[in-house]
Amino acid sequence: MDRVNDTKTALVTGANKGIGFAIAQGLGAIGFTVAVGARDDARREDAVKHLRAAGVDAFGVALDVTSDDSVAAAAATIGQTAGRLDVLVNNAGISGGTAGDAQDPTTLDLGVVRTVLDTNVFGVVRVTNAMLPLLSRAHSPRIVNMSSSMGSLTLQTGPIMAAYAPSKSMLNSVTAQYARRLADTNVIVNACCPGYVATDFTGFNAPRTPEQGAAIAIRLATLPDDGPRGGFFDDEGVVPW
């Protein structure tokens, strides 16, 4: 193992840009070693370079959340490099496309739904289960799932997106199931909504910065041992399910 055992390590998936990069930068700023998980080799290494230039202890991890082999290899890399994992932020996600009626439920292509679920839900399960053995080695492990208020059945915010919004509803439910299963352990699992953030997902036409969107994830990643479990939060507190 290359790193000091008392240094906390965080894996952020989809960390090469946007909110994921801001989460990585924020965790690094408070002393975490950050594993930058991303599919694209060039973008991943560019993100690591920028994080290191900002004083963050970061290393890249090749990670395609839709691939069992890639996720297993990523877990092995983190195990060899850090020995354990203190924080997992499941940030990687896709919209499934928004052009025209691409996500109109009355004309929805089920292939689009499957593709979105494979990243936004199955990818989270795939990565979480692969990382749990490493998380179990930490004193105060935290899992943060990046969701959206569009997944709230109560609020029903945003445009009609019949693949993306239900994927976040299911992610919230999966989060609750993990929290129930891990209730008697030291692993704390929560979901959060970053708000409407200016990223490529929104065409950079939104009022919040990636840093503002990252704040709630960083807060949940650093909860005390008596912190909430299985909740859904944004900057203002609990988000209705």
Side-chain angles (χ1 to χ4, degrees):
M1 290 182 288
D2 299 326
R3 298 175 187 274
V4 179
N5 285 335
D6 60 359
T7 300
K8 289 188 174 182
T9 300
L11 168 63
V12 183
T13 69
N16 60 290
K17 60 181 180 178
I19 297 170
F21 181 84
I23 294 169
Q25 192 164 37
L27 289 172
I30 58 175
F32 280 83
T33 292
V34 181
V36 176
R39 292 182 299 179
D40 187 284
D41 293 341
R43 289 180 178 178
R44 181 178 64 252
E45 293 313 310
D46 189 55
V48 169
K49 181 178 71 175
H50 280 86
L51 288 168
R52 288 176 175 169
V56 174
D57 183 16
F59 64 98
V61 178
L63 179 58
D64 177 354
V65 303
T66 67
S67 164
D68 290 344
D69 290 344
S70 175
V71 170
T77 296
I78 294 169
Q80 292 163 4
T81 304
R84 71 165 193 268
L85 189 62
D86 297 88
V87 168
L88 168 61
V89 181
N90 286 305
N91 168 76
I94 60 173
S95 69
T98 58
D101 60 355
Q103 296 203 34
D104 182 331
T106 66
T107 57
L108 189 62
D109 182 344
L110 293 182
V112 172
V113 179
R114 292 187 186 98
T115 299
V116 171
L117 289 177
D118 197 22
T119 294
N120 294 5
V121 181
F122 308 153
V124 170
V125 173
R126 188 178 285 115
V127 172
T128 299
N129 289 351
M131 300 301 163
L132 275 173
L134 293 173
L135 287 159
S136 70
R137 299 178 189 172
H139 293 298
S140 300
R142 306 289 179 258
I143 299 173
V144 182
N145 295 331
M146 298 302 291
S147 185
S148 168
S149 61
M150 289 181 65
S152 166
L153 301 181
T154 301
L155 298 178
Q156 298 187 28
T157 62
I160 294 173
M161 294 181 69
Y164 177 79
S167 78
K168 294 304 185 180
S169 301
M170 187 173 179
L171 176 60
N172 290 345
S173 183
V174 166
T175 300
Q177 295 299 310
Y178 272 109
R180 290 178 64 194
R181 173 63 179 82
L182 298 170
D184 296 328
T185 76
N186 59 352
V187 183
I188 295 181
V189 188
N190 288 289
C192 65
C193 173
Y196 195 39
V197 176
T199 65
D200 56 359
F201 182 91
T202 60
F204 299 96
N205 183 27
R208 289 168 62 81
T209 66
E211 290 74 23
Q212 288 173 318
I216 183 60
I218 294 168
R219 191 181 314 165
L220 294 176
T222 55
L223 282 174
D225 291 342
D226 61 352
R229 293 169 177 255
F232 182 24
F233 303 93
D234 64 10
D235 285 345
E236 297 180 4
V238 176
V239 179
W241 292 93

